[in-house]
Structures are given as structure tokens and as C-alpha cells.
Amino acid sequence: MNSVLIVDDEEEVRESVARVLARADYEVQTADDGDAGLEAFRKSPADVVITDIIMPEMNGIEFINALRKEYPKVRIIGISGGGDVGHLSYQPNAVSTSAYLAAAEEAGADIVLTKPFEREDLVQAVARMCNP
Amino acid sequence: MAARLGSLKSRLIVTVIGVHAILLPILFFVVSDLLVQSHRDAFIDQVRLYSRFLVDSLESKSMLVDQAEEMLDEVMLNGIGLYAELTINGGTFRSSLSVPDDSLQFREDFMFGDHNDGIYFLSIPVVMNAGTGILKLGFDEQPIINQIALVRNQLLVMLTVYLLVVLLLTLVFSSVIARPIRQLRRASQIITSGKHDEKLSVTSSISEFNLFSRDLEHMRSELVGVNEQLASEIALREQAESEREQMRAGMVRAQKIETLGTFSGGIAHEFNNVLTPMILYLDLAIEDAADDKQMAEDLSRVLKLARRGKSLVSRILTFSHQNSSMDVRRVNVAVVAQTAIDLLRAIVPSTISLEFKPPTGDRLEVFGDPEELDQVVVNLCNNAVLAIEKPQGKVVVEVEAVQQTGLGGGGRDNLPPGSYVRIKVSDDGVGMSDEQIERIFEPFYTTREVGKGTGLGLSVVYGIVLAHGGQINVRSKVGEGTVFEVYLLALNDWTVKKQVMNE
């Protein structure tokens, strides 16, 4: 059975994603921020990690970087709230969210999903990650 | 003015007269004295000489007393002799031509005019053959007196004429001085009255006035120069002030929108975190309600509504310039604009001409989303077209590569120096007041009637421009039209440009 680690600072996001994936027969773990996520992964590595991109404390990209460094082969799905990258759009010539997402991809997220996503999109993305 | 120069004139005249009043009498008396004296001396010399000659003649050896009488007559006949008498050996011979005795009293004179008798008497001892005697002679003083009087009169006349000439010259001189002074005064009055334009020049034969006039002209032109300098300084300062004002206005505007944007961005973010679980849970719940058709149906309606909420959020995000679905690549702004305008021409009413000015410069590429930039052009053109309420109008779109040195505008900061691509949309429509310009990018702000526009068009444009790291400027005057200028940071990559050109 494939396992998934969900990292997001919003409780209901974690819970709803977990339930959807549980019903799709995945083993699910959750963590509420990057540090907790790293710890959880170290304790019990998952096949796929789903992480929010902007979070307080250690933000999503930092988390992805750290995770990749330790576990180069891990599969990562980044989820973005759209309103997440607020301040970045004020940088001159920062092509804002797009660049941010590009950066997320560069950092090592294999797929990026924008919130709110459909159940089907979520499940398909995870499936794709497990069977590349 | 005349009184003051009159004082110059009268002062000169009074001075001249005063001086002469003292000098001339002195001169007159001194000179006339000298003349009188010399006349008298000359007379006496002449008289004595003659007398001496007479005596010598009388004393000559051959002279007889009888002959002496003849001699005496000759004295009288000479003209100036009035009295001749010889007393010798007890006898007196008097010329028969002498003036009768009674009126003549011999009184010896030592000086001309002595005894006031008009006759100059003198007596000389004579030594003749016949014996020793005394010769008494009297000479007419009158001619000399007349001569003296004449000379005195002449002198007086000369001095009077001289005085008059001097007075005349004084008058002339005072005019010569007064004229340039009057001119200079008039000139300085003109300057005082504020007319600084006329060049000032007073010419006179007197060098001091010319120099003074030149100095005055110098002062005037310096005054003009200073005035001009002040005027241009004031103009510069006013311009700087108005630029600062514009910048401030731009920053205020940006601040407002940013707040609004952040606000809605923040809420949108939260909303997404609400909608995500909502949609997932509803999906799960519908699955769970497989047996309960009613519940399944109710829930799927709710799910539909949740999805509507999703699209609402994305629209809010669009105008709060936090749209995450930008597709970024190299975009040629001129091409985007051209395409947009070609399509717009089809829908724009024929009474309004939509003109696309050929782009100048070659660095017309930016890093951005072509669809969003197309939206910018479309929205700006739409706004421009709607602003034209008269029967005929013109909307002009220009795309240009520009160098920016730093300007205020709609962004939060100054446009940093660099190369930009500028999209300029101008219309000759109704224009906007300053208050309208202030709020034009606000979401839902519209100056049109209900039904004619949502008021989101320009706020969308604003969001897209900022998301592209650019700035947007607006200038407008009520009744004259509006100009929007969008500045996008240019893609300064020559190799990239070459690649694009080869594609």
C-alpha cells in the first residue's frame, strides 16, 4: 500500500485530503508544518508528500528543499492557495505566482495543484506520483 | 522736475552773478585806475617834455626877449597850452592868446587835476641872455579828462558785455548739463515703474553722463537678468512641486489599491482554505449518501455552489493581482496589441477610429502572460471607446520601447531606471476629473450608469500590470480626453530576441 504524508497548516485541509486519500486506499499521515513534516517523514517515509507552499514557520519551499536534500527520490505534490504568494507580486519583475510555482517546481515539487482542487484531480495526481 | 532743474539753472546763474558782482567791480576799479594813471602820467610827461623843449629854446643864446613873446604865442597855438607867461628882469610877457587874466589864477600843480581848475600849471626857471626868469605854463587838462571818461565808459561796457556773455554761456551750459540729467531721470523712472524691457541709453558730450548712463543700463539689464532667473527658478520649483504632487497622488492611489488587494487577497487565501475541504468533504458525503438519493441530490447542489464560490474567489484574486494561473513566457507586446486591436476593430462602432501606431524601437518584448497582456489592451481600449460620448472620436494605441529615468505614477515605488515597453492608449473622450483619476483603478468603481460596465475592467488591468512588475500612469482632463500609459519591464536579452526573431 502506498503511503502519503500531508503537510498543511490548515486542519480541515489536512483532514479532508486525508479522508479522500484514505478512501482511495492510501495510508495517510499528516503534519501541520515543515518541521513536523520532516520529523514524520524521517520516522516513517512516505511514497508521496503533499505540501502546502506557503506556511508560517518553515515555508513550503524550504520544506521541499530540505526533504529533497535528505530524500532525493521522494515524490512531492505542492498545493497552492492562490492568495498565498501575496507579497511576491510586488517585487518588480517578479512574475509572481507563476514564478513562484516555477520555483516550487524547481525546488522539487513534481506536480503543483491549485486550491481548491477537485477530489478527482487530487486522487489522480497521487496515483500518478505512485506510478510514474 | 522743472523746478529742480530751475534750481540748477538759477543756482548756476546766482553763483556766476555773485562771483562777478565781487570780481567785476574790483576789476573795473583796478583796471580803470591803471588806465587813468597811465593817461595822466603820459600827459604830464608830454607836458613837461614840451616845457623843457620850450625852456631849451628860450635859453638858446640867440634868443631875445622879444622873440620870447612869439614863442609864448606858439605855445597857445599848439592847442593844449592855455597859459604862457614869462617873467624876467622885472617884466612880464604874457601871450596875447592866453585866456583872460581874471579867470586864470596861476596855481602850481604837482598832480594832474590839482586845484580842480582844469589846467595844469607849472613853472620853470629860465636862464636867458637877458637874465634869469620864470616861465609859467598852463595846459588844458580837459581833453585828458574826457579821454579818461571815455576809456572808463568803454571799460564799463566791455565788462557788462562780458557779464552778459558769461550769463548766456551759463544758461547754455546749464541746459547742456540739465538735458542728460533729465533723460537719466526719465529712464530710471521708467525702470522703477516696472518696464524693464527698454534698453537705456543717454548720450551726451560729457563723458561722465555717458558712463553714468552705461552704468544705469548695466543695472537695468542685471535687474532683468535677476528677474528672469527668479522667474525661471519659480517655474522650476513649481514644476518640481507638481511632479512631487503627482507622485504623491500616485502613491496614495497605489496604497489604497494595495490595501484593497491585500485585503481581498488575504480573504481569498482563507476562502480557498475553506473551499478546499468543503469541496472534498461534499464529494465524500455525496459518495456516502449513495443510498439516499435525496441527500445525494441536496449535497450535489451544495457542491455546485461551492464550485461557484471557487470561481468567485478566482475573480477576486484577478483584480487583487494575485492570480496564480499566469502562464509566463516571452511576449512581444506589439504583436499582442496588434492582435487585440484587429479583433476590437470588428466590434468598435465605426464612428470611432481605433488606431494602432506602428511601434518604434526594437526591444518590445517582456516576460509575461500573453493572455493577460491581451486583456490589458482590450480593457484599456474598451474603456477609451466607452469614454467617447460624442459622435466622432479617436482612440490611439502605441507600443514603444522607452528608457526610463524615474517617474512617479501608479505604482508604489518610483519606476526604476531601465528599459521598458510602454503601451499608451489615448482617447479624445470626456476625460476625468482629479477625483475620478484618484479612484479609477478601484475595483467596482465606475463612472458609468448601471449596466454599462462592472467597474472591474481597470482594476483588472492594474492587477495584471503589477503582477508583471510594471506600472500604470493616467493623465486626463475633463473635456479633453485621457491617456493611459502602461510600463512593462523589457526583456533585455539580446540572444533571446534573436531567437524570437528567427522563430
Side-chain angles (χ1 to χ4, degrees):
Chain A
M1 190 198 277
N2 290 318
S3 59
V4 182
L5 170 64
I6 301 161
V7 182
D8 192 309
D9 57 318
E10 284 282 334
E11 191 201 327
E12 290 298 350
V13 172
R14 289 196 302 270
E15 189 55 36
S16 54
V17 169
R19 285 199 196 178
V20 164
L21 292 178
R23 236 181 249 199
D25 286 330
Y26 289 95
E27 201 180 292
V28 177
Q29 273 184 87
T30 65
D32 62 3
D33 66 39
D35 291 310
L38 274 175
E39 246 188 73
F41 195 91
R42 286 181 195 127
K43 239 194 267 177
S44 153
D47 297 301
V48 182
V49 173
I50 302 177
T51 174
D52 194 6
I53 299 218
I54 290 203
M55 292 182 287
E57 305 298 321
M58 182 197 273
N59 75 30
I61 296 207
E62 284 172 3
F63 169 64
I64 293 173
N65 280 329
L67 195 61
R68 271 271 177 254
K69 215 151 77 169
E70 279 186 46
Y71 306 93
K73 294 231 174 76
V74 66
R75 301 247 163 237
I76 301 178
I77 298 176
I79 52 180
S80 136
D84 290 348
V85 289
H87 69 284
L88 282 186
S89 65
Y90 292 100
Q91 305 290 325
N93 211 27
V95 279
S96 66
T97 59
S98 207
Y100 205 102
L101 292 177
E105 285 178 347
E106 250 184 58
D110 300 289
I111 300 181
V112 173
L113 290 175
T114 46
K115 291 177 184 173
F117 35 79
E118 296 292 333
R119 175 186 179 182
E120 217 176 276
D121 295 332
L122 172 63
V123 172
Q124 272 186 24
V126 173
R128 207 164 1 127
M129 289 287 93
C130 291
N131 305 310
Chain B
M1 168 82 166
R4 211 155 305 151
L5 282 184
S7 121
L8 173 69
K9 217 185 282 183
S10 60
R11 268 208 187 164
L12 271 175
I13 290 174
V14 163
T15 309
V16 163
I17 291 180
V19 164
H20 284 88
I22 298 173
L23 287 182
L24 285 187
I26 295 174
L27 197 66
F28 177 75
F29 285 119
V30 164
V31 171
S32 75
D33 236 28
L34 286 171
L35 284 173
V36 162
Q37 206 54 47
S38 76
H39 271 91
R40 286 181 178 173
D41 290 349
F43 172 77
I44 290 172
D45 285 346
Q46 183 191 29
V47 156
R48 286 201 183 271
L49 202 66
Y50 184 78
S51 310
R52 189 80 282 177
F53 165 73
L54 197 61
V55 164
D56 285 348
S57 307
L58 285 174
E59 283 182 349
S60 71
K61 303 264 181 209
S62 53
M63 179 63 70
L64 299 174
V65 177
D66 305 329
Q67 288 172 313
E69 254 192 80
E70 272 179 42
M71 285 229 88
L72 294 180
D73 284 339
E74 274 195 32
V75 170
M76 304 310 292
L77 287 170
N78 264 329
I80 60 170
L82 285 183
Y83 184 87
E85 182 188 283
L86 177 65
T87 308
I88 189 164
N89 289 343
T92 305
F93 299 94
R94 195 181 285 186
S95 163
S96 50
L97 299 171
S98 271
V99 180
D101 301 16
D102 317 12
S103 58
L104 276 180
Q105 186 77 6
F106 178 84
R107 277 177 290 190
E108 178 135 16
D109 291 326
F110 295 100
M111 288 206 314
F112 187 96
D114 264 359
H115 305 121
N116 263 339
D117 45 18
I119 301 181
Y120 186 71
F121 288 112
L122 53 86
S123 66
I124 313 169
V126 174
V127 177
M128 287 173 69
N129 278 339
T132 316
I134 299 185
L135 179 64
K136 290 187 182 160
L137 294 170
F139 293 92
D140 193 356
E141 287 175 335
Q142 200 56 48
I144 294 300
I145 293 174
N146 291 344
Q147 184 88 352
I148 286 173
L150 188 70
V151 161
R152 270 201 164 141
N153 282 343
Q154 278 182 337
L155 188 61
L156 201 62
V157 166
M158 257 177 21
L159 289 179
T160 308
V161 166
Y162 161 76
L163 185 64
L164 288 173
V165 166
V166 161
L167 284 176
L168 191 72
L169 287 176
T170 307
L171 282 169
V172 167
F173 179 67
S174 74
S175 292
V176 165
I177 299 232
R179 187 185 58 89
I181 290 182
R182 213 179 306 141
Q183 284 180 324
L184 282 168
R185 185 142 189 281
R186 203 183 306 136
S188 68
Q189 272 183 335
I190 289 178
I191 294 178
T192 330
S193 75
K195 278 179 46 181
H196 305 140
D197 307 334
E198 280 185 43
K199 192 162 190 265
L200 159 63
S201 85
V202 167
T203 45
S204 147
S205 47
I206 299 170
S207 65
E208 278 87 351
F209 284 125
N210 284 336
L211 291 172
F212 184 33
S213 154
R214 214 185 307 158
D215 289 344
L216 208 62
E217 165 60 20
H218 256 185
M219 282 198 320
R220 180 202 71 86
S221 71
E222 270 212 39
L223 182 67
V224 167
V226 164
N227 277 355
E228 283 176 356
Q229 210 176 338
L230 278 173
S232 75
E233 257 193 51
I234 289 176
L236 273 174
R237 225 171 273 174
E238 282 180 352
Q239 195 190 352
E241 186 57 49
S242 83
E243 274 181 9
R244 237 176 287 149
E245 197 50 59
Q246 216 185 344
M247 224 175 28
R248 247 176 272 146
M251 293 207 275
V252 166
R253 194 166 51 227
Q255 200 66 43
K256 263 199 230 162
I257 295 180
E258 182 186 324
T259 316
L260 219 73
T262 316
F263 185 60
S264 19
I267 286 201
H269 168 84
E270 288 231 15
F271 242 92
N272 281 335
N273 278 336
V274 164
L275 289 173
T276 305
M278 238 171 82
I279 288 175
L280 294 180
Y281 282 135
L282 282 168
D283 206 309
L284 291 171
I286 290 171
E287 192 177 275
D288 292 337
D291 327 323
D292 191 331
K293 258 194 156 166
Q294 193 54 51
M295 200 190 305
E297 212 228 310
D298 293 338
L299 290 171
S300 67
R301 283 181 190 257
V302 179
L303 181 56
K304 233 190 262 176
L305 287 164
R307 288 182 180 135
R308 241 174 84 186
K310 172 180 171 180
S311 92
L312 258 176
V313 168
S314 108
R315 267 154 66 190
I316 294 178
L317 281 181
T318 306
F319 79 71
S320 71
H321 53 73
Q322 291 174 12
N323 193 347
S324 61
S325 59
M326 258 174 47
D327 171 23
V328 171
R329 48 192 144 101
R330 293 176 226 108
V331 180
N332 185 314
V333 178
V335 167
V336 166
Q338 181 75 69
T339 319
I341 287 169
D342 288 341
L343 289 174
L344 278 170
R345 281 216 185 92
I347 21 177
V348 162
S350 52
T351 53
I352 297 178
S353 86
L354 181 57
E355 191 184 308
F356 182 45
K357 279 215 176 124
T360 66
D362 44 4
R363 300 187 178 202
L364 297 170
E365 287 199 318
V366 301
F367 200 42
D369 184 323
E371 264 184 44
E372 306 226 315
L373 291 178
D374 173 87
Q375 183 81 53
V376 165
V377 176
V378 166
N379 284 12
L380 287 176
C381 288
N382 191 45
N383 201 72
V385 166
L386 287 175
I388 296 173
E389 290 177 1
K390 52 190 180 180
Q392 297 258 349
K394 191 154 100 162
V395 174
V396 178
V397 180
E398 298 167 63
V399 173
E400 268 183 303
V402 295
Q403 282 295 123
Q404 210 44 294
T405 49
L407 242 190
R412 187 175 57 177
D413 305 309
N414 267 339
L415 202 62
S419 319
Y420 291 83
V421 177
R422 177 175 70 196
I423 307 172
K424 186 160 148 184
V425 176
S426 21
D427 66 71
D428 55 0
V430 293
M432 291 189 283
S433 67
D434 287 338
E435 296 84 48
Q436 288 172 322
I437 294 176
E438 276 278 317
R439 306 186 60 193
I440 197 65
F441 294 118
E442 267 176 40
F444 306 114
Y445 177 77
T446 177
T447 55
R448 296 187 231 292
E449 320 129 18
V450 175
K452 257 191 149 199
T454 57
L456 280 177
L458 287 179
S459 60
V460 167
V461 166
Y462 192 91
I464 294 174
V465 169
L466 278 201
H468 279 76
Q471 278 199 6
I472 179 163
N473 248 344
V474 53
R475 290 194 307 275
S476 180
K477 214 160 182 203
V478 175
E480 289 182 19
T482 307
V483 174
F484 280 93
E485 285 172 336
V486 172
Y487 289 85
L488 300 168
L489 206 60
L491 194 56
N492 280 333
D493 189 339
W494 283 99
T495 36
V496 168
K497 184 184 78 112
K498 278 200 193 135
Q499 278 181 345
V500 169
M501 273 167 54
N502 292 334
E503 278 168 12

